[in-house]
Amino acid sequence: MTRTAAPIIHVLDANPADFSIAVAPASDGVFVVRAAFHGDAPVEAALRVSIELADARDPWWLIPGAFLGDNRPADNDRIFPRFVAGASNAEHHAAFVSDEWHFRSDRAATPIVMVWPEPGAAGLALSAPPRTALGLTGFGFALRDGRAVLSATFPSREFPVTYYGDAVPRPAERLTHRFQPGDTVEVSVRVHPLSADRHDYARVLRELHMQTRDSAPLRPWIGVSAAAELAASGLLRWHYDPDPGVLLETVGFDREVSGRDGKSVDRQAMHVGWVSGIPWAYAMLRHAIRTDDAELRGAAQRVIDFCTAELSPSGTFWGVWYRDSGWTQSWTHHRRGLHSRTLGEATQFLVRAVELTGDASWRRAVVSNLDAVVARQRPDGALGSIHHAETGEVLSWQGSAGLAWVAALADASAWDPRYLPAAERAGDHYAALVHAENLHGAPEDVDLAPTSEDGYVAVMAYLALHRATGHPRWLDLARRAADFALTFRYSYDVAFAPTSMLGVYGFGTRGADQASTSNQHLHAYGLVMTREMLELAEVTGDDYYRERALESLACFRQFVARFDGDFNAYRGMVTERYYQTLCFQPPGMLLTLSHAWSAGVLLLGCEDALAAGIA
């Protein structure tokens, strides 16, 4: 295998003969590129710095948070960018399929692009600052005549199309810098050799995080206890509906706005887990017990009672409750399908709620769920991703959503030891996806896309197995899963327009997670594994995981409404989406809906931090 000795420089949109280019190697793989423009008139142009890796027969790409492997399974029901060798015509591009992709740097959690040319072969990476004097940097890759080409573009280019969060391709974004006669500019890139183990990305991302964290200081608005109190009050005041006892999933910031039907924009629905339901009622219960808040405790118990009172005919929870129609299936194209991640997460947090209260009816609901799913387990340990509500038939075995059951099984094995062998068989089965860096399919709304939530689910599952058994293999899998999750965590601060909402308030993105390669906005769901990340740091003696957990908790102690009217929200409201790139909304905007899970996961993260002695 051969590598280029130095980067290759291209001038885009201008005559290369009008530029003098010099490339000077510096220490530790850094190259400084100096471009002098000696044309007679100003030009709009860009510089592209590329490196190549030969013998790329089956490349595996990584732009952290933005692109992973081929990125989209071929039969995924949600369309977003996908890599396919040889896909280079307009028809391919219209379907978001290409053998070359270039993206804005603010789509990347860490500004770097990586490739491994084929399984078992060493790889290469190219990093650069996310922004330079030329503007926003871009990162991309291509497969050309058996060569993997990695590029950084100054300023950014998006190619072949721009992804805006839906199935409609937007025109490719093409930024330029205006070069005046006599101008000289410098940009720097760094080339990173990678071992044949794809997980070597973790080493490089850790190095870059350590180099950039001081330039992105944490800036929480409030302390941990204050954030917990605000989140709890927001859940009780805005999301809790005592009739029938639910946590409404979304509540509009603007209480005067109505939908097209004249009704409130508040979503009259509750998932049993994930975006509402038991996990966040459990967080309310934790807070209520710690603060001796009887009203909050009563609300939390009523939500859990409502979720456990009616199970599906197959013995598990239902997926979603709607005010107009009651309990029904999950968000899936499989008719009557119930999603394992949602049900498994609800069951795990119900186990924790039973440990707090000893409630016998809640425990019966746990046992019904776990008995049902264990009865469906395949001999190879798989637990399935989608289950039929009435028959219990497993409708889909694809993806790693079944890992959500593992944590519930392992935790409940303290009550009934027969659950532990099932948890271990499943842990062994899904370990292959962890080692392949191929965790995917956890949230209901993006089908089988790779997401940050897949990492959270795996961390929680393997640490639960480690707690139950003490076996080091589970700890190693938890560490690898945590590294996978952290590929989605921003290690720097995105620069926002100063008069945008996020710019005005100086929102710091370090510690926020890209939701997925499909849903490219920042979210706080990573706080769900705060307990596990702190535990991982303690058990391994590696404080890096503690630091990454606490930076996320600091990040999302921004934009918690401290009073009615704060950033146009009401006290205790917490949004789901922070728009840091060109997806769904322009960068710098904020979704003006409070989400039950967003307040709930903040409350949970705060309670876990306080329990660990972190104020």
Side-chain angles (χ1 to χ4, degrees):
M1 182 177 299
T2 60
R3 295 188 178 95
T4 55
I8 303 165
I9 315 302
H10 301 275
V11 175
L12 308 181
D13 296 339
N15 184 357
D18 289 338
F19 288 79
S20 298
I21 306 292
V23 181
S27 60
D28 201 21
V30 174
F31 290 87
V32 177
V33 178
R34 188 171 186 269
F37 175 60
H38 45 76
D40 296 329
V43 296
E44 298 286 339
L47 301 177
R48 174 163 291 166
V49 182
S50 300
I51 57 174
E52 297 182 357
L53 193 57
D55 303 322
R57 298 180 181 89
D58 184 16
W60 191 87
W61 315 98
L62 176 62
I63 299 177
F67 210 97
L68 181 75
D70 293 341
N71 204 44
R72 170 166 58 89
D75 57 351
N76 201 74
D77 67 6
R78 185 179 179 126
I79 303 302
F80 55 97
R82 168 174 163 79
F83 169 79
V84 173
S88 58
N89 61 41
E91 184 177 354
H92 289 127
H93 299 164
F96 283 110
V97 176
S98 181
D99 58 4
E100 178 177 5
W101 285 102
H102 296 268
F103 302 105
R104 299 160 53 104
S105 64
D106 53 17
R107 296 189 191 272
T110 299
I112 190 170
V113 55
M114 305 183 181
V115 67
W116 283 261
E118 60 182 355
L124 204 61
L126 182 70
S127 67
R131 181 176 288 272
T132 71
L134 279 69
L136 191 69
T137 304
F139 291 92
F141 59 82
L143 182 63
R144 291 289 175 265
D145 301 321
R147 294 171 291 111
V149 183
L150 305 181
S151 300
T153 307
F154 307 90
S156 169
R157 294 287 168 97
E158 297 225 307
F159 181 86
V161 293
T162 289
Y163 175 63
Y164 200 70
D166 56 30
V168 180
R170 300 325 195 254
E173 185 182 51
R174 183 169 150 268
L175 303 182
T176 58
H177 173 77
R178 188 172 182 83
F179 286 86
Q180 299 287 349
D183 278 355
T184 298
V185 299
E186 284 189 353
V187 295
S188 64
V189 299
R190 182 179 173 189
V191 179
H192 307 258
L194 300 168
S195 75
D197 181 1
R198 291 175 185 169
H199 201 73
D200 197 33
Y201 68 71
R203 170 187 62 83
V204 176
L205 296 186
R206 184 183 291 221
E207 290 174 359
L208 292 176
H209 174 263
M210 293 188 67
Q211 291 172 12
T212 60
R213 60 185 176 182
D214 289 343
S215 63
L218 301 175
R219 54 192 84 173
W221 296 0
I222 49 179
V224 177
S225 294
E229 191 278 326
L230 285 171
S233 67
L235 284 166
L236 184 63
R237 181 183 179 190
W238 298 113
H239 293 275
Y240 175 62
D241 185 341
D243 183 18
V246 296
L247 290 176
L248 296 180
E249 290 180 359
T250 66
V251 175
F253 282 10
D254 191 332
R255 307 309 298 153
E256 295 300 314
V257 171
S258 62
R260 294 178 183 175
D261 56 4
K263 296 180 180 179
S264 168
V265 296
D266 303 345
R267 187 189 297 166
Q268 303 296 310
M270 177 181 71
H271 273 69
V272 72
W274 185 42
V275 294
S276 191
I278 291 174
W280 322 125
Y282 164 78
M284 294 166 65
L285 187 61
R286 283 266 305 274
H287 184 79
I289 291 172
R290 181 176 63 83
T291 61
D292 195 24
D293 186 331
E295 182 184 11
L296 185 68
R297 179 168 184 158
Q301 291 173 324
R302 186 168 176 81
V303 171
I304 298 176
D305 284 342
F306 186 76
C307 291
T308 56
E310 182 183 346
L311 301 181
S312 73
S314 66
T316 68
F317 288 122
W318 284 103
V320 191
W321 170 87
Y322 295 97
R323 190 178 297 281
D324 292 340
S325 55
W327 287 106
T328 187
Q329 70 174 74
S330 301
W331 292 347
T332 170
H333 65 273
H334 293 280
R335 186 176 181 276
R336 306 304 285 164
L338 301 174
H339 201 278
S340 274
R341 186 289 182 77
T342 301
L343 273 56
E345 184 177 82
T347 306
Q348 180 188 15
F349 281 96
L350 186 57
V351 172
R352 294 183 181 183
V354 172
E355 291 170 349
L356 282 180
T357 65
D359 189 288
S361 65
W362 297 356
R363 178 165 174 157
R364 286 193 294 272
V366 169
V367 170
S368 180
N369 273 272
L370 296 184
D371 285 353
V373 76
V374 169
R376 304 167 194 169
Q377 188 171 31
R378 265 189 346 205
D380 65 359
L383 292 170
S385 295
I386 311 290
H387 300 249
H388 195 282
E390 278 77 30
T391 67
E393 177 190 359
V394 177
L395 302 175
S396 173
W397 296 96
Q398 294 180 284
S400 52
L403 264 174
W405 290 111
V406 171
L409 288 162
D411 286 349
S413 68
W415 309 346
D416 189 336
R418 68 192 174 92
Y419 292 136
L420 188 56
E424 292 188 288
R425 286 195 301 274
D428 282 330
H429 171 79
Y430 292 107
L433 295 179
V434 178
H435 283 286
E437 311 295 340
N438 192 27
L439 293 166
H440 61 290
E444 296 181 7
D445 60 341
V446 292
D447 196 21
L448 294 172
T451 76
S452 58
E453 296 175 54
D454 291 284
Y456 315 152
V457 169
V459 170
M460 297 171 76
Y462 287 112
L463 270 174
L465 280 170
H466 182 258
R467 281 195 300 270
T469 67
H471 200 289
R473 77 179 185 278
W474 304 131
L475 184 62
D476 179 65
L477 285 161
R479 177 188 59 79
R480 293 181 72 98
D483 292 337
F484 177 92
L486 292 175
T487 65
F488 292 87
R489 184 154 298 174
Y490 274 61
S491 57
Y492 66 99
D493 282 346
V494 172
F496 296 108
T499 55
S500 68
M501 177 69 81
L502 298 183
V504 166
Y505 283 86
F507 179 65
T509 59
R510 176 185 157 204
D513 288 351
Q514 180 95 287
S516 69
T517 62
S518 176
N519 281 352
Q520 293 184 359
H521 63 81
L522 300 182
H523 76 171
Y525 215 112
L527 294 176
V528 74
M529 62 173 184
T530 300
R531 166 185 168 178
E532 283 77 12
M533 291 290 279
L534 295 175
E535 181 181 352
L536 183 63
E538 182 177 356
V539 175
T540 61
D542 189 344
D543 204 50
Y544 173 72
Y545 298 109
R546 175 185 172 92
E547 179 181 356
R548 300 308 301 267
L550 295 185
E551 74 180 7
S552 187
L553 187 60
C555 177
F556 293 107
R557 296 192 332 262
Q558 302 171 98
F559 280 101
V560 186
R562 296 158 290 187
F563 54 86
D564 290 351
D566 199 5
F567 59 89
N568 212 44
Y570 283 80
R571 187 178 189 273
M573 288 186 171
V574 184
T575 187
E576 174 200 20
R577 293 183 176 188
Y578 307 81
Y579 298 110
Q580 89 292 0
T581 192
L582 196 64
C583 190
F584 303 116
Q585 300 277 16
M589 291 187 71
L590 184 80
L591 180 65
T592 55
L593 292 174
S594 181
H595 277 60
W597 76 257
S598 301
V601 79
L602 174 61
L603 178 58
L604 178 69
C606 288
E607 291 298 323
D608 285 339
L610 291 168
I614 298 164

